[in-house]
């Protein structure tokens, strides 16, 4: 059965944090394991706070986040979306656990509503589409200002100082088939080092429903990152205003 995992190009720079164990686990799925079985096989080396189970294990009428919190089991469908969600649990276990707790706290306050409130909306955007930025103030300020010429051309050499990690599993899924408009919601981290474990610990300590309700994100067209896409070596790449949009007027 084709799951889409066979189309992942593990050599793309944005997947570098996930090559281990992702590539091996994708091969296990291709060889016949379910995604849940493959992800569970990595738990000895990547002690995530959940085990993975088929989606059918989620009781009818029970909220997904509540089930994970109560049981320690993560329902997992076959396909790219839930596979990347599992890889995020393995790689950023503290951040994922914190998000699960914050979701549950919001559900306890408001119940399951037809339309998510600002906090749950922010939590969902973060979980699905966030990227983490660790780097110089001058680059962050240019990103927030959407000053694309300064960010990607004038200050291009300073990107060597940046650690940018794509976290959101929907974002990683979209980038299996890269397109210029794909945009990440970037959250700035002040982790002590570029190590993934330090970034994970910092994020878990920093995140709150109040912060995420305020949508503290900068918008980054991912293929504009220097070194991530061959075409962006030409400064004209950034002249496409349908992707690299000017900031909104106040």
């Amino acid at each position: 059965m084709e799951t889409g995992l066979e189309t992942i190009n593990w050599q793309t720079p944005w997947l570098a944090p996930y090559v281990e164990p992702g590539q091996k686990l994708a091969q296990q799925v291709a060889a016949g394991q379910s995604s849940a079985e493959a992800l569970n096989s990595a738990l000895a080396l990547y002690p995530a706070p959940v085990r993975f189970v088929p989606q059918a294990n989620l009781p009818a009428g029970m909220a997904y986040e509540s089930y994970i919190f109560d049981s320690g089991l993560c329902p997992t469908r076959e396909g790219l979306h839930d596979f990347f969600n599992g890889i995020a649990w393995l790689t950023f276990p503290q951040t994922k656990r914190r998000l699960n707790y914050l979701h549950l706290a919001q559900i306890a306050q408001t119940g399951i509503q037809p339309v998510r409130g600002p906090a749950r909306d922010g939590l969902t955007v973060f979980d699905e589409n966030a990227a983490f930025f660790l780097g110089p103030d001058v680059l962050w300020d240019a990103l927030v200002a959407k000053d694309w010429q300064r960010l990607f051309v004038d200050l291009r050499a300073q990107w060597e100082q940046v650690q940018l990690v794509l976290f959101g599993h929907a974002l990683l899924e979209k980038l299996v088939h890269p397109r210029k408009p794909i945009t990440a919601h970037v959250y700035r981290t002040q982790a002590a080092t570029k190590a993934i474990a330090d970034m994970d610990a910092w994020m878990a300590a920093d995140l709150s429903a109040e912060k995420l309700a305020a949508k503290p994100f900068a918008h980054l067209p991912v293929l504009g990152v220097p070194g991530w896409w061959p075409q962006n070596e030409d400064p004209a790449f950034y002249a496409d205003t349908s992707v690299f949009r000017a900031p909104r007027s106040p």
Side-chain angles (χ1 to χ4, degrees):
M1 179 182 69
E2 291 189 357
T3 61
L5 275 62
E6 66 281 352
T7 64
I8 300 172
N9 177 6
W10 291 100
Q11 305 310 307
T12 54
W14 52 84
L15 287 180
Y18 304 108
V19 170
E20 294 292 340
Q23 187 170 19
K24 178 182 177 182
L25 299 185
Q27 291 169 351
Q28 291 174 210
V29 173
Q33 287 189 352
S34 69
S35 291
E37 290 170 333
L39 290 162
N40 286 333
S41 74
L43 291 176
L45 294 176
Y46 297 83
V50 295
R51 289 186 62 80
F52 302 92
V53 296
Q55 180 71 19
N57 285 39
L58 177 64
M62 188 170 191
Y64 170 84
E65 299 289 352
S66 299
Y67 179 68
I68 292 175
F69 187 86
D70 291 343
S71 68
L73 302 173
C74 180
T76 304
R77 300 165 296 184
E78 296 306 317
L80 290 164
H81 191 84
D82 283 15
F83 180 79
F84 280 125
N85 184 52
I87 295 297
W89 273 105
L90 297 178
T91 310
F92 287 94
Q94 295 183 62
T95 303
K96 291 290 286 186
R97 179 167 56 185
R98 177 66 173 163
L99 290 171
N100 178 235
Y101 169 78
L102 292 173
H103 267 296
L104 195 76
Q106 289 300 307
I107 291 171
Q109 285 183 25
T110 64
I112 301 296
Q113 302 291 335
V115 178
R116 291 187 174 102
R120 287 208 71 204
D121 186 46
L123 284 162
T124 300
V125 168
F126 186 99
D127 198 19
E128 297 275 350
N129 210 61
F132 304 156
F133 175 98
L134 179 64
D137 290 346
V138 66
L139 288 178
W140 177 254
D141 292 345
L143 174 59
V144 171
K146 297 185 177 180
D147 188 344
W148 308 117
Q149 171 72 28
R150 181 165 170 77
L151 177 66
F152 290 126
V153 181
D154 300 346
L155 300 175
R156 194 172 186 86
Q158 293 202 35
W159 277 87
E160 293 181 1
Q161 303 174 47
V162 172
Q163 171 79 320
L164 182 72
V165 178
L166 307 192
F167 171 79
H169 51 283
L171 176 62
L172 293 168
E173 178 187 16
K174 286 183 285 189
L175 281 163
V176 170
H177 303 288
R179 293 180 298 106
K180 193 175 182 180
I182 294 174
T183 298
H185 287 73
V186 185
Y187 192 97
R188 192 178 190 185
T189 172
Q190 301 288 354
T193 76
K194 292 182 178 181
I196 294 295
D198 287 344
M199 193 173 284
D200 184 32
W202 188 93
M203 281 291 173
D206 183 71
L207 291 177
S208 69
E210 293 76 19
K211 283 187 176 181
L212 293 176
K215 305 294 193 304
F217 307 114
H219 299 97
L220 173 67
V222 173
L223 298 188
V225 175
W228 278 23
W229 197 243
Q231 288 91 321
N232 75 34
E233 293 295 326
D234 182 352
F237 183 85
Y238 303 106
D240 183 350
T241 57
S242 69
V243 174
F244 298 97
R245 298 179 181 179
R248 293 180 180 177
S249 301

